[in-house]
Amino acid sequence: MFKSFIFFFLLSILSLHAEIDSEKLDKLNVEALLVKNLKNNEILYSKEALREVKPASLTKIMTAILAIEEGELTRLVVISKEMLQVEPTKAGYKEGEIFLLGDLIRAALIKSDNDAAMAVAIAIGGSVENFNKMMNAKAVKIGMVNSVFTNPCGFDIGNHHSTPQDLLVLAEYAIQNPVFNDITRLNQHTYYALNSSRKFVANTHNQLLNKYEYAVGVKTGYTSKAGPCLIARAKKEDRDCLIVMLNSKENRWKAAKEIFEQVFVPSQAVLASL
């Protein structure tokens, strides 16, 4: 009885203080990497946490959380010409089409559609310029100390930049919102233009959602300057882990899964001694 108690006590301790193979992570070909245990706020691994980086479409986490907090998801948004003046990835809206704000937020987060993100920004801010101000004000408010947002999509325009630490702060803030969480764990979202009945399907770029059963979000990103980026979260039983990975030359999905497994599997040496 006592031995069983000790076993479960130690197991609970291990679940909070996971072992990370730092030497193995040091060898990963990534510009920056953060791994955080959300259960006890412990940074399990850190590489270049304060490095100035291009956040690419990880930017849309800020765009989406602002829209979720500031707007009604059932609000109607009329697509304007300005909303369409973006580069791919695009959903392919037409000027004058009407959508629910909630559908545009989902398209921006799930498929990372830039026309959706631009439509969200203009609908909430009234203009891109004003929405940029809202993004930067929010960044300061939540504790992002070295980030500048010049657009809601993540384009490498002007001084648009962040740091891995700031992106971790942003992700931790956003995942406190249940609406945000519900969206980022979706593989797909189907929606329609309300005045034309045109059908749109937003499929996720986050391959972890298809390949790893414990994955629950958050967002992918890519530009030629930023490289492949990923903020990923996984939950297993009472364990909860968040990864920020920037400019990865590795397979993002494989690397993230292996990191999660390190966090989720207790030390075999300790268990063997029980």
Side-chain angles (χ1 to χ4, degrees), residues 204-264:
T204 187
H205 292 293
N206 188 352
Q207 294 184 30
L208 276 177
L209 295 178
N210 298 312
K211 295 182 176 181
Y212 189 55
E213 62 181 313
Y214 304 115
V216 293
V218 178
K219 186 75 185 74
T220 64
Y222 175 83
T223 67
S224 58
K225 291 183 179 180
C229 304
L230 175 66
I231 296 181
R233 183 188 185 192
K235 298 176 70 175
K236 181 181 180 183
E237 298 169 352
D238 63 339
R239 284 153 283 178
D240 195 347
C241 181
L242 194 62
I243 296 171
V244 177
M245 187 184 300
L246 283 303
N247 193 13
S248 174
K249 303 299 190 296
E250 306 283 346
N251 180 312
R252 286 175 286 176
W253 327 115
K254 182 176 182 290
K257 181 179 177 180
E258 290 178 353
I259 292 170
F260 284 134
E261 284 301 295
Q262 286 188 42
V263 175
F264 293 160

Side-chain angles (χ1 to χ4, degrees), residues 34-45:
L34 286 174
V35 182
K36 185 167 185 178
N37 184 335
L38 295 178
K39 283 296 182 179
N40 63 356
N41 289 318
E42 180 184 4
I43 299 294
L44 302 175
Y45 181 85

